[in-house]
């Protein structure tokens, strides 16, 4: 039976999906940077701006009433973390059973992985002992990187929250203020930059040769760059004294 090649040689479904997402956000970011549809006067521009903005960056945006039906409150985003916790917990449990007890990977998961990586070159198999040693090292290094970057993100969020709360923890007001201190002196959105560093750090742990993961890193870069740029523009429009030297996302660069 002759097999049909669904994707270009060396291209997997997973890589194709991330590549399409990267291209979408690259085009969106470039369109916004080139002043495309910033005014929002036409229906197309209104929909475009509505799709790329959320939260405070939608303030003052001229939006058709029907678009407001699609708004989702941030409090509803808990399901992302819930699904992630359950799914990644299951995968971690399967991996630990494979490494520690030599329990085979479930057939359904093998089928999913085979489908997502169809078209890729055969991978070199390593022994369980070798794999276990590598996983221990990667796990320790990954935990250290996540702890460091997560603590910085937590500090950034605490600074933002502290600007609107009293010493007792009571909310003073819901107005936006100019964040300052630490990395906020360099960029408007250091928490986005810290998230990018997390993904780059994992790419380093993977050995710099994992093509699909670098596509994920590129997606995070473009996605967070767009979000940071919109926040940066919001701060400049709202505060006349907003520091000119601050970049939006990456210190000294962008």
């Amino acid at each position: 039976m002759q097999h049909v090649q669904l994707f270009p040689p060396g291209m997997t479904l997973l890589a194709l999906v991330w590549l399409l997402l990267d291209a979408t956000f690259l085009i969106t970011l470039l369109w916004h940077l080139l002043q495309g549809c910033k005014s929002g006067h036409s229906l197309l521009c209104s929909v475009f701006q509505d799709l790329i903005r959320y939260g405070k960056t939608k303030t003052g945006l001229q939006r058709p009433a029907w678009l407001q039906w699609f708004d989702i409150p941030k409090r509803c985003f808990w399901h992302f973390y819930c699904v992630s916790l359950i799914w990644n917990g299951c995968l971690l449990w399967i991996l630990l059973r494979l490494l520690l007890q030599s329990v085979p990977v479930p057939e359904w998961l093998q089928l999913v992985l085979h489908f997502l990586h169809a078209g890729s070159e055969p991978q070199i198999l390593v022994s369980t002992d070798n794999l276990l040693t590598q996983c221990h090292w990667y796990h320790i290094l990954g935990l250290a990187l996540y702890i460091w970057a997560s603590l910085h993100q937590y500090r950034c969020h605490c600074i933002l929250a502290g600007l609107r709360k009293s010493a007792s923890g009571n909310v003073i007001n819901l107005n936006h203020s100019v964040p300052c201190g630490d990395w906020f002196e360099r960029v408007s959105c250091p928490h986005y930059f810290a998230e990018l560093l997390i993904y780059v750090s994992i790419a380093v742990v993977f050995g710099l040769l994992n093509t699909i993961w670098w596509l994920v890193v590129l997606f995070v870069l473009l996605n967070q760059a767009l979000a940071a740029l919109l926040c940066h523009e919001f701060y400049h429009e709202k505060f006349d004294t907003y520091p000119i030297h601050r970049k939006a996302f990456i210190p000294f660069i962008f």
Side-chain angles (χ1 to χ4, degrees):
M1 180 177 178
Q2 186 178 4
H3 295 280
V4 178
Q5 183 70 37
L6 297 177
F7 312 109
M11 174 67 70
T12 67
L13 174 61
L14 201 58
L16 182 61
V17 170
W18 284 113
L19 190 61
L20 291 176
L21 288 173
D22 292 342
T24 299
F25 274 92
L26 176 60
I27 294 173
T28 303
L29 179 60
L30 291 176
W31 194 6
H32 185 76
L33 285 172
L34 296 175
Q35 307 298 317
C37 279
K38 278 195 175 183
S39 60
H41 293 312
S42 67
L43 178 61
L44 176 61
C45 291
S46 296
V47 174
F48 173 76
Q49 290 296 331
D50 199 78
L51 287 174
I52 67 174
R53 296 175 181 270
Y54 67 95
K56 62 179 178 290
T57 61
K58 284 192 176 183
T59 303
L61 185 65
Q62 298 179 1
R63 309 171 62 205
W66 62 271
L67 281 177
Q68 300 180 18
W69 285 92
F70 299 96
D71 289 348
I72 301 177
K74 283 189 175 181
R75 64 178 180 272
C76 295
F77 278 47
W78 64 268
H79 64 273
F80 285 118
Y81 304 102
C82 182
V83 171
S84 177
L85 178 63
I86 296 174
W87 173 248
N88 287 290
C90 291
L91 291 181
L92 179 60
W93 174 249
I94 293 173
L95 177 62
L96 290 176
R97 294 187 67 194
L98 170 66
L99 298 178
L100 302 179
Q101 301 178 350
S102 299
V103 177
V105 176
E107 185 176 353
W108 66 267
L109 183 55
Q110 295 184 41
L111 292 175
V112 171
L113 293 174
H114 177 74
F115 175 72
L116 292 177
H117 292 273
S120 60
E121 295 296 329
Q123 300 296 318
I124 299 177
L125 298 177
V126 296
S127 65
T128 303
D129 293 337
N130 206 9
L131 181 61
L132 184 59
T133 302
Q134 292 179 15
C135 285
H136 282 165
W137 167 245
Y138 289 166
H139 184 66
I140 293 173
L141 182 57
L143 280 178
L145 294 172
Y146 257 103
I147 290 173
W148 170 78
S150 298
L151 283 175
H152 179 73
Q153 286 201 43
Y154 177 77
R155 177 174 173 80
C156 291
H157 286 296
C158 285
I159 292 176
L160 287 172
L163 294 173
R164 299 188 293 272
K165 291 186 177 180
S166 63
S168 61
N170 296 323
V171 176
I172 300 175
N173 61 70
L174 297 177
N175 296 328
H176 293 96
S177 303
V178 178
C180 57
D182 291 344
W183 285 12
F184 279 107
E185 299 299 330
R186 299 296 181 186
V187 292
S188 297
C189 301
H191 44 312
Y192 293 161
F193 180 55
E195 184 168 349
L196 174 64
L197 292 180
I198 292 176
Y199 283 84
V200 172
S201 300
I202 296 175
V204 174
V205 172
F206 283 166
L208 302 178
L209 298 177
N210 192 308
T211 304
I212 292 181
W213 189 257
W214 277 112
L215 291 175
V216 176
V217 173
L218 182 58
F219 169 78
V220 173
L221 170 64
L222 297 172
N223 178 279
Q224 299 294 58
L226 178 60
L229 180 61
L230 294 173
C231 289
H232 188 67
E233 293 173 350
F234 170 83
Y235 288 137
H236 275 283
E237 293 173 359
K238 186 173 181 62
F239 305 107
D240 296 332
T241 59
Y242 195 77
I244 301 178
H245 68 276
R246 287 190 194 179
K247 298 297 183 180
F249 181 35
I250 302 177
F252 308 107
I253 299 176
F254 176 77

